[in-house]
Every structure is written in C-alpha cells, then in structure tokens.
C-alpha cells in the first residue's frame, strides 16, 4: 500500500531529521525507505549525496564511489545540457 501511495517524502523528511541530529543509522534506514517508496528527482539527488556522505563517515569509500557513480550516470546529461560541464 505504501508504494502505491508514493509517500517516500515522509521517509525522506524523517531521514533528514535523523541526519540533522547525527543519528546516522536511523537516517540511513529512513533514506532507503524513501528511495524505495518514490521521491522527487530533486530529493533523490540530495538523498544520494547524503548516503554518500554517510558511507564516507563509515569509511566505506567503495560504497561512496558507487553512489557517486549512480548520480553521475543519472544526471550527467542533464548537467551537460545546462552548460555546467
């Protein structure tokens, strides 16, 4: 039922609250739930960047690199078309 209602924004907001107060394990959980339940493209970019930051905080540079690669693949053409690259 949750997937059909596209309520990923609620999980994203919760993840941001946990992130703000440095409750990182809870933030990761909420961010993953947000991504599974559909969020806006703008929120998705922020979510991937925050997950990347959290991976670096956990010294998981391989995961951070993978997350950045996902961002690059998804948004490279959009950035290129706007003249940023």
């Amino acid at each position: 039922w949750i997937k059909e209602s596209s309520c990923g924004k609620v999980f994203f907001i919760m993840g941001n609250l946990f992130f703000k107060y440095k409750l990182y394990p809870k933030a990761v959980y909420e961010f993953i739930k947000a991504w599974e339940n559909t969020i806006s493209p703008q929120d998705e970019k922020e979510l991937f960047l925050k997950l990347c930051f959290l991976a670096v905080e956990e010294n998981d540079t391989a995961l951070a690199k993978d997350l950045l690669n996902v961002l690059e693949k998804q948004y490279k053409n959009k950035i290129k078309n706007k003249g940023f690259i």
Side-chain angles (χ1 to χ4, degrees):
W1 177 80
I2 290 177
K3 270 195 173 194
E4 289 83 31
S5 64
S6 300
C7 65
K9 184 72 172 183
V10 173
F11 294 111
F12 184 69
I13 291 168
M14 291 299 297
N16 278 329
L17 285 172
F18 289 128
F19 186 86
K20 177 180 177 181
Y21 292 105
K22 296 183 169 69
L23 299 169
Y24 295 144
K26 291 182 184 256
V28 168
Y29 176 77
E30 296 297 331
F31 287 148
I32 291 171
K33 295 295 285 181
W35 187 66
E36 289 175 338
N37 290 291
T38 310
I39 56 175
S40 72
Q42 184 60 37
D43 289 343
E44 187 178 82
K45 288 183 268 187
E46 183 179 340
L47 179 141
F48 274 103
L49 288 173
K50 285 183 176 176
L51 286 176
C52 183
F53 169 82
L54 295 171
V56 170
E57 283 290 301
E58 292 293 319
N59 294 317
D60 192 344
T61 54
L63 177 59
K65 183 178 178 183
D66 289 343
L67 289 165
L68 287 173
N69 284 335
V70 168
L71 275 174
E72 181 183 20
K73 285 177 187 172
Q74 287 184 350
Y75 298 104
K76 186 175 186 176
N77 288 334
K78 292 178 184 175
I79 291 171
K80 209 179 235 184
N81 292 338
K82 295 196 179 209
F84 294 117
I85 292 181

